[in-house]
Amino acid sequence: VLITAAPVFGPQGEPRGVVVTGQDLTTRHELERLREEYVSLISHDLRNPLQGITLRASLLTHALKERGMAREEALTEAILRNVAWMKSMIEELLEGSRLESRGVELRREPTDVVRFLEGVLERDVPPDLRERFLLEVATPAPLAWVDAARLERVLTNLLGNAAKYSPAGRPIHVRVSTSPEDHVVVAIRDEGPGLAREDAEHVFDKYFRTRQGSASDTQGLGLGLYISRLIIEAHGGRIWVESEPGQGSTFCFSLPTTPQGPEPHPPEEEMG
Ligand code: ADP
């Protein structure tokens, strides 16, 4: 039960009493659980037919190419792109609900974040976009204690957003530095529309998209930053954004250089 209390004041501002409310949260939690279960079931069920569509559209594209039917081939390629986008949304939905229900399991090892970033830019950023990303190393950063696959997920999301929400061709600065607490800090600065204060407070919330983001052509579910937050916080780090409307945004996160945060695998209980 959630108990909230609020003071009541009289016309002269003198205290008159307190209103206490009790709210039964059982139904709310149960609804939340059902919704998660529903998302997970639907996502699983959508995967197979999409796999079938991808296979057939690929075969069709191949056949059209052989017959030199370029216009029709462009259509099947558009189908493939749309299906790929649907698949990535489903993966995101599934990942979100998996991380929530099972928590973030981490396999951490000491990692050179600068080299890791170079690898991500090489592997995950299409060659025509790569030159927009300018990597700057402020100080030689100590090794961060991270789960590589999870960190890659966070970086592809933040780098992808910076490219997605800022004007084509404009540079994106990726800076690695060390915080006073000796955490490794990565800051990704873009020249996009920036964020109003009230939006900046919510961008890491589940399913949150700014009005501008939803109205533009950019597609998304509003789950990427939420998933990134779960991952960074599980590492014992912090994620935040510094931004002003019209001034671009800088998305930052910090990573500890020693194992911190919730232990991924609780020590096994002693037998006997
Ligand atoms: P998605 O991009 O799939 O909508 P995210 O969780 O990655 O979801 O981002 C949430 C919202 O935050 C976006 O819809 C957009 O409105 C806003 N946002 C994220 N990154 C940026 C950015 N670099 N510049 C401006 N707005 C951003």
Side-chain angles (χ1 to χ4, degrees):
V1 179
L2 176 70
I3 311 275
T4 42
V8 180
F9 298 101
Q12 262 80 50
E14 74 282 11
R16 279 274 174 87
V18 180
V19 176
V20 179
T21 6
Q23 203 185 339
D24 181 358
L25 292 179
T26 328
T27 332
R28 210 209 281 176
H29 285 158
E30 180 64 7
L31 275 176
E32 179 74 6
R33 196 188 59 76
L34 281 174
R35 200 172 53 85
E36 285 308 324
E37 208 172 283
Y38 186 65
V39 164
S40 168
L41 276 175
I42 296 213
S43 317
H44 274 291
D45 286 351
L46 284 173
R47 260 178 171 177
N48 288 342
L50 283 179
Q51 212 57 37
I53 297 174
T54 309
L55 181 68
R56 287 168 185 85
S58 306
L59 289 172
L60 198 54
T61 308
H62 193 70
L64 293 168
K65 193 188 206 98
E66 280 190 341
R67 288 170 180 73
M69 300 168 76
R71 259 202 8 225
E72 289 78 0
E73 192 191 330
L75 290 177
T76 53
E77 274 170 355
I79 294 176
L80 282 171
R81 272 199 305 280
N82 278 286
V83 175
W85 178 60
M86 282 182 80
K87 275 205 252 176
S88 73
M89 285 204 296
I90 289 169
E91 289 307 323
E92 202 162 77
L93 277 171
L94 270 176
E95 192 178 359
S97 75
R98 246 193 323 250
L99 291 180
E100 275 180 348
S101 58
R102 292 186 214 157
V104 188
E105 286 174 25
L106 299 175
R107 300 194 184 287
R108 286 183 272 190
E109 48 189 69
T111 305
D112 178 336
V113 174
V114 176
R115 278 189 49 199
F116 193 81
L117 258 164
E118 286 166 347
V120 169
L121 289 172
E122 184 75 28
R123 270 193 309 278
D124 302 321
V125 177
D128 55 322
L129 273 185
R130 214 170 287 154
E131 63 184 25
R132 287 182 68 187
F133 293 93
L134 308 175
L135 187 56
E136 298 159 16
V137 183
T139 45
L143 301 181
W145 198 259
V146 296
D147 179 315
R150 303 281 192 207
L151 178 61
E152 184 153 358
R153 178 77 181 77
V154 173
L155 284 170
T156 49
N157 179 238
L158 297 181
L159 299 173
N161 276 354
K164 185 160 94 168
Y165 294 108
S166 67
R170 296 303 303 160
I172 294 154
H173 296 265
V174 184
R175 191 163 188 272
V176 183
S177 59
T178 314
S179 75
E181 315 82 67
D182 214 28
H183 281 204
V184 176
V185 178
V186 178
I188 297 157
R189 175 161 60 88
D190 66 51
E191 298 182 7
L195 292 158
R197 220 190 42 229
E198 59 273 24
D199 285 341
E201 280 168 15
H202 294 289
V203 274
F204 299 101
D205 293 354
K206 191 153 84 170
Y207 301 125
F208 180 84
R209 304 200 75 206
T210 63
R211 204 184 295 182
Q212 196 175 14
S214 328
S216 69
D217 288 342
T218 55
Q219 295 160 320
L221 291 173
L223 274 177
L225 289 176
Y226 171 68
I227 290 175
S228 300
R229 174 163 68 83
L230 293 183
I231 293 175
I232 293 296
E233 287 178 355
H235 278 85
R238 202 165 73 79
I239 187 164
W240 70 99
V241 60
E242 292 161 5
S243 180
E244 263 179 56
Q247 304 291 316
S249 315
T250 306
F251 280 85
C252 312
F253 63 87
S254 65
L255 289 167
T257 44
T258 47
Q260 282 183 15
E263 268 308 308
H265 305 291
E268 278 176 27
E269 297 218 341
E270 293 280 331
M271 300 290 283

